[in-house]
Amino acid sequence: MCAPTYFGVEYVINPWMEGKLGGVSTGTAGAQWHDLHALLTETLGATVTQVPPQPGLPDIVFTANAASVWGGKAVPARFKHPERQGEEPFYRAALENAGYEIHDLPEGIAFEGAGDALFWEGDTEAPLLFAAHGWRTDDAAHGFLSTTFGVEVVSLALTDPRFYHLDTCFCPLPGGFLLWYPPAFDAASQEIIAARVPSAKRLAVSDTDAATFACNAVGVGNHVVMNAATNALRESLASWGFSAHATPLDEFMKAGGSAKCLTLRLL
Ligand code: ARG
């Protein structure tokens, strides 16, 4: 994670940021971030390491975008928008410090890390890597991820500008479960997901839950941490054996991110 010392909405690169320039309360954002951190560490027992925040890089708090990491290897992000490209060296240094072997994408291919590439545990020995293209990541990145990590990559096309990263509309949970929002994907991708993930382990969230970023959730064991959850979603998660923990992150939603975006799972 990365503390929100310099977080704010200083440019517009997704629809959530429109009309929000300068509209973040730094104090509230700091309190919400600390509550998320405390929930993950003190309540749920996760170990969290931190990347130092950087002035002039307000979105560096969204560490999900730093890289895709697996088995000691990291493929660092290559941000689509110049506004975020300055984050790249800081994330790279943090990954190197953490001992990851760095594998750089060929020049000119955009890729936004675990924002657009999520591992899902099916019944095969190696996990599947679901990877998106359409807004921030080029599909040319997908083959590189497959070769580098030695896993099958399932490519998905995102179509709704509000759900511009895969982790805003698709959330693999431990045990092969999945929360997702079908309208964020094209028809072919919806069919691919339905064919890969058994229906008993797949839950399409409502428009209401999608709009409060329920799919932007962090699974820790049988706990799921998210900005907000309707009772219907809590009950569905409970039927799978998960407890939902809501922790308000609306200051970060002004930039188009919430719980999952604020974390990178180190695998
Ligand atoms: N303002 C950031 C952007 O548009 C938000 C990133 C959210 N991160 C995520 N993994 N969805 O890039």
Side-chain angles (χ1 to χ4, degrees):
M1 294 178 71
C2 176
T5 317
Y6 307 106
F7 171 66
V9 177
E10 295 176 10
Y11 44 76
V12 176
I13 57 170
N14 70 53
W16 304 86
M17 301 172 101
E18 280 163 21
K20 307 286 179 7
L21 284 175
V24 167
S25 157
T26 310
T28 309
Q32 292 182 344
W33 187 91
H34 282 99
D35 287 347
L36 172 66
H37 184 271
L39 178 56
L40 293 171
T41 55
E42 289 159 30
T43 310
L44 301 178
T47 302
V48 173
T49 57
Q50 291 186 39
V51 182
Q54 301 297 330
L57 296 174
D59 276 338
I60 199 170
V61 294
F62 298 115
T63 54
N65 297 120
S68 180
V69 296
W70 177 253
K73 297 177 183 174
V75 177
R78 186 153 309 127
F79 284 95
K80 174 145 188 136
H81 294 102
E83 290 88 340
R84 294 200 65 185
Q85 288 166 359
E87 299 171 32
E88 292 172 15
F90 297 103
Y91 285 144
R92 167 184 292 268
L95 292 161
E96 278 171 351
N97 283 342
Y100 283 97
E101 186 183 291
I102 306 288
H103 292 256
D104 282 308
L105 279 157
E107 286 299 319
I109 298 179
F111 173 59
E112 297 203 355
D116 269 335
L118 295 167
F119 288 96
W120 173 78
E121 305 161 25
D123 47 15
T124 50
E125 200 180 313
L128 283 186
L129 182 57
F130 284 96
H133 59 89
W135 299 109
R136 299 296 187 86
T137 292
D138 298 331
D139 56 0
H142 297 180
F144 185 84
L145 295 170
S146 176
T147 312
T148 303
F149 294 129
V151 297
E152 183 184 352
V153 171
V154 179
S155 293
L156 304 171
L158 294 174
T159 52
D160 181 333
R162 291 176 306 150
F163 301 100
Y164 58 94
H165 276 142
L166 183 62
D167 69 1
T168 62
C169 52
F170 186 95
C171 180
L173 292 171
F177 293 96
L178 177 72
L179 300 179
W180 70 311
Y181 184 56
F185 298 88
D186 74 0
S189 301
Q190 292 180 30
E191 279 172 30
I192 290 168
I193 294 165
R196 291 299 187 126
V197 182
S199 59
K201 290 199 162 188
R202 166 169 40 91
L203 178 74
V205 304
S206 64
D207 293 349
T208 307
D209 280 313
T212 54
F213 269 10
C215 292
N216 197 248
V218 184
V220 181
N222 59 348
H223 300 275
V224 184
V225 173
M226 51 192 29
N227 168 59
T230 58
N231 285 336
L233 177 57
R234 288 172 180 278
E235 283 162 21
S236 300
L237 284 167
S239 75
W240 285 346
F242 290 98
S243 352
H245 301 257
T247 186
L249 292 164
D250 44 275
E251 291 301 322
F252 297 94
M253 297 232 2
K254 294 173 181 171
S258 83
K260 164 62 174 58
C261 304
L262 291 167
T263 66
L264 176 67
R265 189 180 295 267
L266 296 176
L267 298 164

